[in-house]
Amino acid sequence: MKNTSATSSGPNHQQPQPQQRVAIIGTGLAGLTTAHLLHNDPKNRYAVTLLEQAESLSFDSASVAVKNHQTGATERIDLPMRASAGGYYANLNRMYRYLQIPMHPVRFLFVFAKALNHAEQPPASSSTTVSALASAVPGGYFIHTSNHHRLLPPRPSSYSLWRYLLEVFFLIICHTWFTAACFLVKPEDESLAQYLGRIWLPRRYITHYILPLMSGVSTCTHAQLLEFPASDVINYVKLSYNQHHYTVCGGVQQVQSRLTYGIKDIRVRSRVLEVKLRTDNNTIVVRWQNTVDNKISEEVFERVVLAVSPDVASRILSPLRAVGLEMIPTAWVESSILTPSISSVPHYSLVNTEESEEKRVEMACMHHRVATAEQSAASTQVITLRSQLSAGTGAARTEALHVMPSGVVVSTCPLDASGSDMMKRRLKTAGFTRTLRTVESRAIVESVMGRAGSKGGWVNGEDNIWLAGAWCWDGMVLLEGCVVSAMKVAEDFVAIVIITLFLLSSTGGLYDLDHWKLNLRMPVPSMWMNMGYWEPSDKNTAKRFDEACSSLLQEVLTTAGLLGSAPSISSPSELAIFDLGIGCGDQTQHLIRLFGAKSLRYVGLTLNRTQLETAVRRLPEVKGTGTGYKNASIGLFCADAAKPSTWSAELNSAVQVLSDEKFAAGPNERWLLALDCLYHFSPSRQPIMSYASRRLRANFAAFDLTLNKSATPAGVLLAKILGVLMGCPWKAFLKEDEYRDQLVASGYSRDSVIVRDISEHVFPGLVEYLNSQDKALAEHGISLGPGFRLAGGVFGWFASAKAIRAVIIVAHTDDKKVM
């Protein structure tokens, strides 16, 4: 614990606030990252205690150093494997750069092979090329090059040329369709098995390629993988597509060391038995047992983070059992380090890692000390995915055999762990708990983490207790989830500056341009997010993003008659606004400034809980927990605006207050406002339109995208495809007449509909700004990233092809009364 004492230098000197005690249970990457963020809080508010039941911190506990006595080289090997793909592991790789952890790219040859019998040996890596090593794998039927770094991968030695060409032709067709489907066919609330059936993939491609590769990534059986939410696998494929793989030079021991630097209170051999809230003073009692002498101790903390698997979390925190956390499936996974063959056993031995710093330096990264010229030039390693395919889908599983540069083989999920050959070649074995995913378990996690509608149970952060771990985010249970969940905990603790450094840090030296970080205004003054209303560049106006975004809101309000052109307020003295897609609260704040908090009754929705919490921090007058925050006149909620039938009772009650008759004295008192969000509504805008018109009798004001009635069929098709890539449903873009018909069918008066085309003020200015901002950020070693670059290309096509129009749409209700 840091010393917070200070000597008073005068009557006005303020003593620093005492630190809050925070217990972090579990020392995997999620626990260590959380500890690092809180320990380095700029205001020094937290005293961190790490509790771990093992004899050492768990992130690097299974890793070992192996010496090849023939070459004299020592290699640090991580168990389990710690490679990360660019794109999917964006936050993990940013954290490594922030910690100045050296990394290097690795190219893999993935050998798909059938397990013919358990006596087969994985290929040895000595005195042969990498290509020959991959080709010689027994039972091999195809070799895939990561990131397609070789145009023609090696041919398995057991395949004739014609049989191989037939296999390649089959794969080209299947892989092209699967890749296109991943980008174009959005997963619904379905399992991977259901998704693969829906896109009509051939069974052989699924069983021989998709399942072996992805079960190797997620270390589970084929049947377990097929139960995963389809979105997990599809998002992984999309984000890692054409990306390089990276590993940490010399192993993750240095990551562990740098994350724990400066943290004094680290307690190993401490098995936590119970975490319990003390209702008398809202502190938390942590009870644990020393695994050496079995002594049980208790200690009081202000906050607790459970960075453990869900089964452990539900065992030590009783409220988690009531929300079904113990029902989340887990599996025990083993990983072993093997010598290449039985005859090579004397050539390898484990090296004691508890050595001096000079000794550790000798363990240079094997990336720079590989045996052959081909390996050194290409940095290529062989991973054999050896599958029991004949067992059928129910019992099929895959063993991953990774040949390391030193020659040893890392086996994960072995097919015959107790075989005599395996036992004789084994240098080290480690086991770990793998959290599995299903559609049902995803729903449980989303509810507990507060990203779905509250079901009345415990929500993350309640009682000052948080969950962190690879399973706590909506994605594959991999290291990226550890970092994301840790950042989320730190954000809740308001350690926002460190998170910003994670996201924005560059690698320049102290006297390069890195001091731009010191000039950041924190917190960030605005977090607007819409396409903006951009005046022509020759007028020198709306050059800043926040100015353009607020201008778009004001243009919508002006078109609706709520603002004068000045803009001066021309609205009634009482105004009710139901605002969809509020983002991070800038839109809400702007409306309050324009109309005044006393005369405005307001309810805002967002689908993103992180954005909701950011908005709440900007509006401290609203109070609440989980998915809803409100006061007498303002309510902010996390919900899917496209599906009113899914809203919670609390949200329905808040929205119905807007239907008060005092807001119905004239035509402009009650409004549905949708700024740059409706084209994302799935399956359609119509449910929310009908709800607003018939239930609230609210007028309609929106910024939206429509199809140009003069667009060619090819242009319409391309626009729809681009829309799907942007996350929109296939029928998101409507022609103006279709849009009018949808409004009328929802209960709005046809004669009142106004459609104002502002495309020339939207697309060109936005594209120009994205390009200029990307160039400006490049000076500091960062970029907007592929997502915004893709968006810039799409908006540029919208501007030039004119198949899509940016429009403001206003409509008034007819004479129907509120139902």
Side-chain angles (χ1 to χ4, degrees):
M1 184 184 300
K2 292 184 179 180
N3 185 1
T4 58
S5 62
T7 303
S8 176
S9 58
N12 295 325
H13 180 82
Q14 294 184 351
Q15 293 289 340
Q17 294 293 321
Q19 290 181 306
Q20 293 188 37
R21 300 200 62 209
V22 181
I24 298 178
I25 302 167
T27 58
L29 184 60
L32 297 183
T33 304
T34 306
H36 177 85
L37 288 167
L38 300 182
H39 176 74
N40 289 280
D41 170 54
K43 296 184 179 180
N44 195 29
R45 287 168 290 190
Y46 308 109
V48 174
T49 297
L50 280 167
L51 294 164
E52 169 59 49
Q53 69 173 350
E55 295 186 356
S56 61
L57 300 179
S58 65
F59 184 52
D60 184 58
S61 62
S63 303
V64 295
V66 177
K67 184 170 184 177
N68 184 330
H69 295 285
Q70 288 184 315
T71 64
T74 300
E75 180 178 21
R76 181 76 179 182
I77 298 176
D78 292 323
L79 290 181
M81 182 183 178
R82 303 295 192 182
S84 59
Y88 192 80
Y89 290 86
N91 292 289
L92 176 72
N93 291 334
R94 287 185 185 123
M95 185 184 77
Y96 285 167
R97 289 195 295 269
Y98 159 74
L99 295 173
Q100 298 183 353
I101 301 295
M103 301 174 67
H104 62 262
V106 181
R107 294 172 176 174
F108 292 113
L109 291 180
F110 293 101
V111 182
F112 294 87
K114 297 179 181 179
L116 303 179
N117 60 73
H118 297 311
E120 292 168 349
Q121 302 274 332
S125 61
S126 58
S127 68
T128 185
T129 66
V130 174
S131 296
L133 178 68
S135 299
V137 172
Y141 53 89
F142 188 74
I143 301 170
H144 168 64
T145 58
S146 65
N147 197 32
H148 303 289
H149 64 267
R150 292 180 58 167
L151 181 61
L152 295 176
R155 173 167 56 94
S157 59
S158 60
Y159 268 35
S160 66
L161 177 60
W162 287 109
R163 185 182 178 189
Y164 178 67
L165 291 177
L166 184 62
E167 188 75 13
V168 169
F169 179 72
F170 168 77
L171 283 177
I172 289 175
I173 296 174
C174 294
H175 189 66
T176 300
W177 168 234
F178 177 59
T179 303
C182 288
F183 284 94
L184 298 178
V185 182
K186 183 178 180 180
E188 299 174 355
D189 189 16
E190 60 189 334
S191 68
L192 178 62
Q194 292 169 326
Y195 180 86
L196 295 177
R198 186 158 63 91
I199 63 174
W200 294 88
L201 269 184
R203 181 176 178 82
R204 187 175 187 278
Y205 180 70
I206 295 173
T207 58
H208 284 60
Y209 293 96
I210 293 179
L211 296 181
L213 181 60
M214 294 310 302
S215 67
V217 171
S218 53
T219 58
C220 63
T221 68
H222 294 193
Q224 290 168 340
L225 179 64
L226 286 170
E227 293 296 318
F228 274 38
S231 58
D232 285 15
V233 177
I234 302 310
N235 288 336
Y236 181 88
V237 172
K238 287 167 59 178
L239 292 173
S240 60
Y241 179 73
N242 246 14
Q243 297 285 340
H244 291 291
H245 292 80
Y246 297 90
T247 58
V248 174
C249 294
V252 298
Q253 58 181 345
Q254 55 187 319
V255 178
Q256 179 173 284
S257 175
R258 295 185 190 186
L259 286 175
T260 56
Y261 179 79
I263 300 176
K264 304 299 184 183
D265 195 0
I266 299 176
R267 309 178 190 183
V268 296
R269 305 183 186 91
S270 302
R271 180 186 295 113
V272 174
L273 304 175
E274 185 181 22
V275 173
K276 189 174 183 179
L277 177 70
R278 287 177 55 176
T279 56
D280 56 339
N281 59 5
N282 289 325
T283 57
I284 304 162
V285 176
V286 177
R287 189 164 63 95
W288 73 91
Q289 182 180 40
N290 186 298
T291 59
V292 177
D293 58 15
N294 294 325
K295 180 182 178 181
I296 295 178
S297 304
E298 287 186 355
E299 205 159 334
V300 176
F301 297 87
E302 280 80 24
R303 304 187 181 201
V304 171
V305 180
L306 304 180
V308 294
S309 59
D311 56 326
V312 175
S314 64
R315 187 174 70 243
I316 63 179
L317 182 63
S318 59
L320 294 179
R321 293 192 285 274
V323 296
L325 210 64
E326 61 185 358
M327 294 189 295
I328 296 177
T330 60
W332 182 254
V333 175
E334 286 191 354
S335 188
S336 300
I337 299 175
L338 312 174
T339 60
S341 62
I342 295 177
S343 61
S344 64
V345 171
H347 301 153
Y348 295 90
S349 65
L350 301 182
V351 177
N352 181 16
T353 57
E354 301 298 327
E355 299 282 356
S356 65
E357 187 64 27
E358 291 77 12
K359 183 68 176 178
R360 292 185 181 184
V361 170
E362 292 179 9
M363 299 177 194
C365 173
M366 288 298 295
H367 171 69
H368 307 289
R369 298 180 59 182
V370 289
T372 68
E374 180 184 349
Q375 286 175 303
S376 180
S379 306
T380 303
Q381 298 175 19
V382 175
I383 295 181
T384 298
L385 300 170
R386 187 165 166 261
S387 303
Q388 284 182 334
L389 299 174
S390 59
T393 304
R397 54 198 181 103
T398 294
E399 174 184 17
L401 296 161
H402 181 188
V403 181
M404 305 299 294
S406 62
V408 296
V409 179
V410 176
S411 167
T412 305
C413 298
L415 299 179
D416 186 21
S418 59
S420 59
D421 175 76
M422 176 81 77
M423 298 292 287
K424 293 176 181 177
R425 295 165 49 211
R426 185 179 295 165
L427 296 174
K428 163 84 175 185
T429 294
F432 55 95
T433 299
R434 162 68 72 183
T435 302
L436 303 176
R437 295 266 287 177
T438 65
V439 175
E440 293 75 19
S441 72
R442 180 195 183 198
I444 294 173
V445 172
E446 291 299 282
S447 177
V448 169
M449 302 308 295
R451 294 187 293 260
S454 175
K455 298 180 180 178
W458 188 90
V459 177
N460 195 39
E462 190 173 326
D463 302 327
N464 283 329
I465 301 173
W466 282 262
L467 296 170
W471 59 275
C472 292
W473 77 319
D474 190 19
M476 299 278 282
V477 186
L478 300 171
L479 292 182
E480 178 70 3
C482 295
V483 178
V484 172
S485 64
M487 291 169 64
K488 181 63 180 66
V489 172
E491 183 182 349
D492 286 351
F493 278 47
V494 202
I496 197 69
V497 171
I498 300 297
I499 294 175
T500 303
L501 291 178
F502 265 36
L503 296 176
L504 300 180
S505 62
S506 63
T507 56
L510 180 60
Y511 297 105
D512 291 335
L513 296 178
D514 261 12
H515 61 280
W516 65 269
K517 302 170 191 173
L518 305 179
N519 290 276
L520 281 177
R521 291 175 58 192
M522 298 303 297
V524 179
S526 70
M527 288 288 287
W528 279 100
M529 185 58 191
N530 62 55
M531 294 189 192
Y533 185 89
W534 308 83
E535 294 289 351
S537 57
D538 57 357
K539 291 188 177 180
N540 284 327
T541 57
K543 288 298 184 68
R544 281 176 30 189
F545 187 66
D546 58 332
E547 292 175 347
C549 289
S550 60
S551 294
L552 180 61
L553 173 60
Q554 292 184 178
E555 288 296 320
V556 173
L557 297 175
T558 301
T559 306
L562 294 174
L563 288 181
S565 58
S568 60
I569 298 175
S570 61
S571 66
S573 58
E574 296 280 355
L575 182 66
I577 293 180
F578 186 23
D579 193 2
L580 312 182
I582 63 171
C584 293
D586 299 85
Q587 189 167 307
T588 307
Q589 287 182 306
H590 199 73
L591 289 168
I592 294 173
R593 285 194 295 267
L594 284 174
F595 300 113
K598 292 184 179 179
S599 61
L600 180 66
R601 183 67 60 87
Y602 177 92
V603 174
L605 298 189
T606 176
L607 191 57
N608 188 300
R609 186 169 185 265
T610 300
Q611 292 183 1
L612 172 67
E613 291 170 349
T614 303
V616 168
R617 284 196 295 271
R618 292 159 166 255
L619 295 165
E621 62 269 26
V622 296
K623 304 296 181 182
T625 58
T627 58
Y629 300 81
K630 60 185 177 179
N631 61 17
S633 58
I634 298 172
L636 305 179
F637 294 87
C638 182
D640 188 347
K643 300 175 181 177
S645 61
T646 65
W647 295 350
S648 66
E650 182 184 18
L651 172 55
N652 274 307
S653 176
V655 174
Q656 284 304 311
V657 171
L658 301 180
S659 64
D660 192 305
E661 286 299 324
K662 71 179 181 179
F663 298 115
N668 296 328
E669 270 75 11
R670 187 186 299 114
W671 287 86
L672 175 76
L673 177 63
L675 189 67
D676 198 6
C677 61
L678 287 176
Y679 50 87
H680 286 294
F681 279 29
S682 178
S684 168
R685 306 167 178 81
Q686 194 149 7
I688 190 60
M689 288 179 175
S690 297
Y691 183 96
S693 172
R694 302 185 190 280
R695 296 288 297 276
L696 296 181
R697 193 168 169 72
N699 300 317
F700 179 88
F703 169 81
D704 209 345
L705 302 180
T706 62
L707 284 170
N708 192 333
K709 63 180 180 180
S710 62
T712 64
V716 171
L717 177 62
L718 183 54
K720 287 180 176 290
I721 292 174
L722 291 174
V724 171
L725 293 176
M726 293 165 57
C728 307
W730 182 255
K731 296 182 179 180
F733 300 144
L734 305 174
K735 292 184 178 179
E736 181 179 324
D737 290 343
E738 295 173 324
Y739 208 118
R740 288 177 184 270
D741 291 342
Q742 199 169 86
L743 284 169
V744 172
S746 300
Y748 290 98
S749 170
R750 185 180 295 275
D751 294 338
S752 72
V753 177
I754 299 171
V755 179
R756 178 185 167 198
D757 187 351
I758 59 170
S759 301
E760 64 176 336
H761 293 286
V762 175
F763 299 134
L766 177 58
V767 172
E768 181 181 351
Y769 178 78
L770 289 173
N771 291 336
S772 63
Q773 188 75 350
D774 198 24
K775 291 179 182 178
L777 290 173
E779 297 178 5
H780 303 285
I782 57 179
S783 72
L784 285 179
F788 285 113
R789 286 177 175 171
L790 174 62
V794 171
F795 297 142
W797 182 81
F798 286 173
S800 60
K802 302 187 185 302
I804 293 290
R805 301 192 308 161
V807 297
I808 294 173
I809 299 179
V810 174
H812 295 272
T813 59
D814 58 18
D815 294 329
K816 294 177 182 177
K817 295 182 179 180
V818 179
M819 296 176 61

